[in-house]
Amino acid sequence: MTSLIFIAADLAAISILTFVLYLRRHRRRDLVVSYLGMNVGVLAVATALSGSAAGLGLGLGLFGVLSIIRLRSTELSQHEVAYYFSALALGLIAGLGIEPIWLTASLMGLILLVMFVGDHPRVLPAHRHQTVILDRALAEDAELYARLEEVLHGKVHSATIQELDLVNDKTIVDVRYAYNPRPAAATYLPAAAPRHAEPAPYSSSQPLPPVPAPLATPDAGGSEPASSAPVHASDPVHASAGAA
């Protein structure tokens, strides 16, 4: 019955470690399968060996052997190695069945708590590590740091030159820095062109513009044409009676 409790506690702990912590933060499915398989495998072997007289020694030896395993297909980052060892420790603790039960549960909870806090995105979010290839051969530290801070937009804490190529004029540097993004420059829009004044609407109170009079043609008698003075639309029209 006690073994079943330890197995259930281990399955619950490895589920929290892989699905709640690792998968939600890093989204790498292949390592989730690796963590689950490694944890359950260590749990099974440690549980089978815990009944023998040399169970503790074999369990510690198994932990030491498994600790040197490296997946040669892909390289593991440091935080992935931490999850890897946590999965091993959870399986080994549950498989050995340390009495009392609360001690086993406390150790498992401690591992989960440390991974939750240590790998939290808000813990040192600006500190980063990167390998940078510069397009110039820079041997002086002052010039190198200035160029790196210009490229990375942050404060460089340490820079280790891995390769200084004077022939191809390039520098490969391992950099640890604190990212400090620069504020975005304000965007200035050109001033809008002034609008032309629209003509005022016509009002009946305003005088009408002058209307040019039509050109008069001379009559058959050779008399001069009438005056061509402009006639305003507002002027009254007077009819003149001609002499008979």
Side-chain angles (χ1 to χ4, degrees), residues 207-212 229-237:
L208 295 175
V211 179
V231 179
H232 294 274
S234 60
D235 295 342
V237 179

Side-chain angles (χ1 to χ4, degrees), residues 44-215:
V45 174
T47 302
L49 296 177
S50 61
S52 62
L56 181 59
L58 291 177
L60 294 176
L62 177 64
F63 184 82
V65 171
L66 293 176
S67 65
I68 63 175
I69 293 178
R70 294 282 295 184
L71 299 180
R72 299 183 180 274
S73 58
T74 57
E75 184 179 357
L76 296 178
S77 60
Q78 297 301 319
H79 69 274
E80 291 170 345
V81 173
Y83 279 98
Y84 188 80
F85 280 108
S86 299
L88 289 176
L90 291 175
L92 186 58
I93 292 173
L96 294 178
I98 304 174
E99 296 289 347
I101 299 178
W102 64 267
L103 180 58
T104 301
S106 299
L107 293 176
M108 290 183 174
L110 178 62
I111 294 175
L112 295 177
L113 179 61
V114 170
M115 293 304 299
F116 172 77
V117 176
D119 192 40
H120 199 277
R122 294 185 179 180
V123 178
L124 301 177
H127 288 69
R128 302 181 183 181
H129 174 221
Q130 195 171 15
T131 300
V132 181
I133 301 178
L134 300 176
D135 57 353
R136 288 185 295 170
L138 302 176
E140 297 183 359
D141 291 343
E143 186 178 3
L144 177 63
Y145 276 57
R147 178 57 179 168
L148 289 174
E149 291 181 355
E150 178 183 359
V151 172
L152 299 175
H153 304 290
K155 176 64 176 179
V156 176
H157 296 306
S158 65
T160 304
I161 298 179
Q162 297 182 345
E163 182 178 348
L164 183 63
D165 193 344
L166 300 178
V167 177
N168 298 319
D169 196 17
K170 70 175 182 179
T171 308
I172 301 177
V173 192
D174 183 80
V175 189
R176 299 182 185 275
Y177 65 101
Y179 179 63
N180 185 17
R182 298 175 182 176
T187 304
Y188 295 97
L189 298 177
R195 296 182 178 179
H196 295 285
E198 297 181 357
Y202 172 75
S203 176
S204 58
S205 62
Q206 297 178 355
L208 295 175
V211 179
L215 296 177

